[in-house]
Amino acid sequence: MKYDVLESKIGYVFNDKSLINLAVMHSSYGNDHKLGRLHNNERLEFLGDAVLELSVSESLFHMYMNKPEGELTKMRASIVCEPTLAQVARDIGLPEFILLGRGEEHTGGRSRDSIISDALEAMIGAIYLDGGFANAKDFVQKFILNDIEAKQLFYDSKTILQEYVQKEYRETVHYELVSECGPDHCKTFCVEVKLGNKVLGAGEGKSKKSAEQKAAYEALMNREGNF
């Protein structure tokens, strides 16, 4: 692996290169190469999840001094949820570096949110072990805590869209499954959100729920043209 390319993308240079290698190693790769059940990124993901939650919690605590605990909890959930982390990972080009087994590769694992988001958390765990909490927190602030409002909007898009339409039009939006493709274990769903017969937005996802969230998000982003 070209460590320098990945390190350039994430903005951190590892002292221990074995950690960056382990952070991107999915269990399917370890199984294929008979490396042992612990030679994958799952333990690092476990650690990175805790580091991420602490980093986000501390930052939100200081950034939003007037928000109560309930609102901070909701904001944190929107930032550390799987779709958000997967998108962050894609933005920095992490998926192309993930080491996958042949079966996982052939069934679309490199585009699966769960695998991509786990790799991002594992990278946070690896940075924490290699450079301490300060460096891990810098990574979180640079790539995950940027554009907080957009991340929260994405997480709550269905609720926000429905509340907006209900207030302005006293109507209810509905979602229609347009198509689904791919094998049963790796389907892609295409959904449209509509107000009456008017299409407000469309989205694709590995689940209907994810596709609906993306459709609602698109509708909100194009709100001026839609409403």
Side-chain angles (χ1 to χ4, degrees):
M1 179 189 295
K2 295 182 178 179
Y3 296 114
D4 56 336
V5 176
L6 179 53
E7 288 172 334
S8 177
K9 287 179 177 290
I10 66 175
Y12 179 80
V13 177
F14 279 83
N15 297 301
D16 182 353
K17 303 300 183 185
S18 69
L19 284 171
I20 189 173
N21 184 66
L22 196 60
V24 296
M25 187 178 296
H26 188 255
S27 58
S28 62
Y29 183 92
N31 292 337
D32 274 11
H33 292 79
K34 297 179 173 56
L35 299 176
R37 66 187 184 90
L38 297 180
H39 208 80
N40 56 60
N41 65 5
E42 292 176 356
R43 283 168 51 84
L44 283 176
E45 182 268 328
F46 165 79
L47 178 62
D49 175 70
V51 175
L52 171 63
E53 184 154 320
L54 176 58
S55 298
V56 172
S57 299
E58 181 185 9
S59 295
L60 294 179
F61 180 84
H62 291 295
M63 291 168 65
Y64 299 96
M65 300 296 291
N66 297 321
K67 286 188 180 294
E69 177 268 345
E71 289 187 38
L72 293 176
T73 298
K74 190 175 182 181
M75 290 184 72
R76 183 179 63 196
S78 70
I79 294 168
V80 302
C81 69
E82 183 178 285
T84 299
L85 296 181
Q87 187 56 54
V88 170
R90 291 186 179 100
D91 288 344
I92 62 178
L94 184 59
E96 66 181 285
F97 295 95
I98 297 175
L99 300 173
L100 294 172
R102 284 169 294 180
E104 196 66 60
E105 185 76 73
H106 292 156
T107 56
R110 198 170 297 278
S111 62
R112 197 165 294 138
D113 281 3
S114 58
I115 290 177
I116 299 170
S117 62
D118 284 353
L120 184 72
E121 289 185 320
M123 188 62 67
I124 294 170
I127 294 172
Y128 170 77
L129 287 180
D130 190 72
F133 182 71
N135 281 302
K137 185 179 177 181
D138 284 345
F139 176 90
V140 171
Q141 289 180 325
K142 181 178 180 180
F143 294 108
I144 299 175
L145 284 170
N146 62 333
D147 205 9
I148 290 177
E149 291 183 4
K151 288 183 172 68
Q152 187 175 18
L153 178 61
F154 177 80
Y155 181 75
D156 291 330
S157 54
K158 286 184 68 176
T159 301
I160 293 171
L161 177 63
Q162 182 54 55
E163 289 175 350
Y164 179 83
V165 171
Q166 186 69 40
K167 179 181 178 181
E168 296 295 324
Y169 300 94
R170 299 186 184 280
E171 294 186 39
T172 301
V173 296
H174 62 282
Y175 296 84
E176 291 186 7
L177 179 64
V178 177
S179 66
E180 55 182 275
C181 58
D184 289 341
H185 64 275
C186 189
K187 282 188 177 295
T188 296
F189 298 90
C190 301
V191 171
E192 290 180 343
V193 57
K194 294 183 175 181
L195 179 60
N197 293 320
K198 183 179 181 181
V199 177
L200 304 179
E204 291 186 359
K206 294 300 181 182
S207 68
K208 292 178 183 178
K209 182 178 179 181
S210 174
E212 289 173 358
Q213 285 283 12
K214 292 178 181 178
Y217 183 72
E218 182 178 276
L220 289 166
M221 291 296 96
N222 299 324
R223 186 163 49 191
E224 291 185 5
N226 282 330
F227 306 111

